[in-house]
Amino acid sequence: LFAHDAGGFGLTGTDNVISCGSVVGASQVEINLGYEPQWILVKNASSAQDWWLVDNMRGLPVQDTSSAYNASNLRPNLSDAETTGFSIAPSATGFKANVLTASQTYIYIAIRRGPMKVPTTGTSVFATVARTGTGAAATVTAGFPVDMYLMQRRPTASFPNIVDRLRGNTRNIQTWQIDAESATTNTVTGFDNMTAVPVGADTDGYVNESGITYVNQMFRRAPSFMDVVCFTGTGSARTVSHNLAAVPELMIVKARANARNWIVYSASTGNAGHLILNDNSAYAANSADWDNTSPTSSVFTVGGNYTVNDLNAGMVAYLFATCSGVSKVGSYTGTATTKQIDCGFTAGARFVLIKRTDSTGDWYVWDTARGIVSGNDSYLLLNSTAAEVTNTDYIDTYSAGFEISSTAPAAINASGGTFLFLAIA
C-alpha cells in the first residue's frame, strides 16, 4: 500500500513526501510534484509494457551535455539486469520523461528526496578528507550520502573540479576554467554508498592517482545549508525553483555544455552584478545576470545573460545559505590587523572560502584536513591550478568561526577592502 499526498513533513509540517498519479504520454512530459523525487515507479496502464523503476542512489541524473538521459533502470516484472540511459530525469519540482508513448496513460509513484530536516551539526552535511591516491578502487569516507564532491590535487597542478549526484558521477566540471563539463574516466564510480564516495583507479588523475596527495570536500544537500539545481536556459529573464528552503546567500552558476564563465551571486554584493569563480576579478555590475532581483526561499531569478541562462543549454547552480551552527555565508571589511570572524560556531570552522569583492583577489580555500591552526595554514585556490601553498599563516583558529591574521595579504585583509566568505563548522 502506498499513500498519496502524505503531508505532515518538512519545515512547516505540511510538505508532501509521496505522490501517486497518472499522466498521458507525449514526446516530452514533465510531471509537477512540487518537490524533487528520489524514487520513481512508472507503468503503462493502456497497454502491455514493463514496469520501470529508477532512483537517485543507483543513478538518476538530469540530462547531460549531449541532451541524453542516463538513469539506471530496473524492471520489476523481469529478471534482467539493470540498464542505463533510461529516459526519466528529476527536476526541482518533479520529473521529466521522453519514454512515454503518445496518447497512452501511465501511472506512477514518486517519493520525495530528503533530507527535509535542517541540520544541526556540520559533520552531518560536510566532510573534508586529505588522502594519498592509491591508483586502485577505494572509498573516501564522509559519514553521510554525498551529493557534491569537490576535489583538488595538492602538489603541482591542482585541477579543482566538481562531480555531483544530480548531474551524475560520469560528468566532471572544473572550477578554474570556462570549459564545458566533460566525461570522467573511472574517477567517481558512483554515489551509491550511504557513507562514502567510491573512487576508481582514476586515469584522469583528478582524485586517486597513485602516490599523489589530494583534499576532498564532500557536501550533502540539506534545508538551509546547500542545494544543487539543474535547469535549461531560456535566454530571457525567468525564475528557477530550488529546494534550499531558505534564501540563498551565495549562488554559483555554470553552463554545462558550453564554454562560459562561472557566475557568482553574493548577498553582500547584491543582485545588480556578479563575481566570477574561475577568475580573480572584482565584482562587476551587470543587470542581465539576476534581472536586479534577489532570490527567495523558493526561487532565484536569472536574467538574459547567456552565462547564467544560455538558450536551450543545460545549467547547474550551487546554492548556499547560513544555517545556525552549521554554515555561515557573510562578508567583512578588512583591517590589515588581526580580525576575528564570528560565525556563531562553537568549535571553529572546518572549511573557509574567502574572496575579495571590491578589487582583484583569488578564491582561497582552507580546511582542517590540511590544517587550520595557530601557525602555517595550507591553502588552495578554486580559480587556479596552482599547487597548494603551505608556508603562510593567513587564517587562525577561533572557536566562534575563524581569525584573519595580520600577516594576510590585501586579497584577504586589505584595510577598507570588502570580502565575502563561506564557512562551515
Side-chain angles (χ1 to χ4, degrees):
L1 303 179
F2 291 86
H4 168 64
D5 198 17
F9 298 87
L11 304 184
T12 64
T14 60
D15 290 335
N16 176 30
V17 296
I18 182 169
S19 301
C20 299
S22 64
V23 64
V24 176
S27 60
Q28 175 80 331
V29 174
E30 183 165 359
I31 293 90
N32 185 6
L33 305 170
Y35 57 82
E36 180 185 325
Q38 64 178 340
W39 186 95
I40 305 166
L41 179 68
V42 178
K43 175 69 174 77
N44 188 334
S46 297
S47 61
Q49 204 169 64
D50 293 328
W51 293 77
W52 302 320
L53 176 61
V54 295
D55 63 76
N56 70 356
M57 290 300 290
R58 293 179 301 117
L60 183 59
V62 296
Q63 289 172 274
D64 65 21
T65 54
S66 63
S67 298
Y69 290 76
N70 198 34
S72 296
N73 172 50
L74 282 168
R75 305 193 180 195
N77 59 298
L78 301 177
S79 61
D80 295 11
E82 75 178 6
T83 59
T84 58
F86 195 65
S87 300
I88 289 182
S91 70
T93 56
F95 64 96
K96 301 177 181 180
N98 66 3
V99 70
L100 308 185
T101 304
S103 303
Q104 299 203 357
T105 298
Y106 291 77
I107 59 172
Y108 64 84
I109 304 173
I111 298 176
R112 187 182 192 122
R113 178 190 63 82
M116 298 178 70
K117 183 180 179 180
V118 174
T120 57
T121 61
T123 53
S124 67
V125 290
F126 173 77
T128 178
V129 175
R131 63 185 296 273
T132 300
T134 63
T139 57
V140 184
T141 300
F144 51 81
V146 174
D147 290 309
M148 186 181 86
Y149 191 48
L150 168 63
M151 59 205 94
Q152 286 184 267
R153 292 163 57 111
R154 298 174 67 184
T156 61
S158 62
F159 298 120
N161 64 99
I162 293 172
V163 176
D164 59 75
R165 182 187 300 273
L166 192 58
R167 291 183 301 117
N169 66 287
T170 63
R171 312 307 299 181
N172 169 68
I173 192 165
Q174 302 195 41
T175 66
W176 59 277
Q177 62 178 355
I178 66 173
D179 288 11
E181 70 179 15
S182 60
T184 61
T185 304
N186 203 23
T187 302
V188 175
T189 57
F191 285 103
D192 55 350
N193 191 306
M194 290 296 290
T195 60
V197 175
V199 295
D202 188 16
T203 54
D204 291 329
Y206 289 141
V207 68
N208 195 31
E209 183 179 345
S210 180
I212 299 296
T213 54
Y214 297 88
V215 62
N216 306 272
Q217 319 286 358
M218 293 166 283
F219 301 78
R220 187 181 191 186
R221 298 166 70 184
S224 299
F225 170 62
M226 180 256 186
D227 194 19
V228 182
V229 178
C230 288
F231 62 98
T232 301
T234 62
S236 57
R238 58 165 296 192
T239 59
V240 179
S241 296
H242 65 80
N243 291 298
L244 187 60
V247 177
E249 297 167 88
L250 180 66
M251 302 192 300
I252 304 169
V253 179
K254 175 73 174 73
R256 298 175 59 190
N258 300 316
R260 304 280 190 259
N261 283 323
W262 293 74
I263 301 300
V264 180
Y265 163 89
S266 163
S268 63
T269 52
N271 59 35
H274 64 251
L275 294 158
I276 300 176
L277 183 66
N278 53 284
D279 191 83
N280 69 352
S281 57
Y283 172 82
N286 190 334
S287 61
D289 292 327
W290 320 111
D291 200 35
N292 292 325
T293 305
S294 297
T296 73
S297 59
S298 59
V299 300
F300 61 92
T301 299
V302 288
N305 192 340
Y306 61 82
T307 54
V308 295
N309 192 18
D310 212 352
L311 180 62
N312 297 324
M315 312 291 297
V316 61
Y318 303 100
L319 281 54
F320 296 88
T322 295
C323 183
S324 179
V326 174
S327 61
K328 176 68 175 179
V329 180
S331 62
Y332 63 87
T333 301
T335 61
T337 61
T338 299
K339 184 179 183 68
Q340 292 181 334
I341 308 299
D342 188 344
C343 301
F345 302 159
T346 58
R350 293 184 299 132
F351 172 91
V352 178
L353 168 69
I354 295 177
K355 169 71 174 85
R356 186 170 183 180
T357 60
D358 67 315
S359 184
T360 57
D362 293 314
W363 294 81
Y364 291 82
V365 172
W366 294 265
D367 57 76
T368 51
R370 295 172 300 133
I372 296 178
V373 297
S374 56
N376 287 349
D377 310 284
S378 300
Y379 71 80
L380 284 160
L381 305 175
L382 293 184
N383 60 297
S384 170
T385 61
E388 178 181 72
V389 177
T390 62
N391 61 349
T392 59
D393 181 20
Y394 294 163
I395 71 170
D396 287 313
T397 58
Y398 172 47
S399 60
F402 61 97
E403 182 177 278
I404 305 293
S405 169
S406 60
T407 62
I412 300 169
N413 196 19
S415 179
T418 56
F419 304 83
L420 73 81
F421 69 88
L422 167 64
I424 304 174

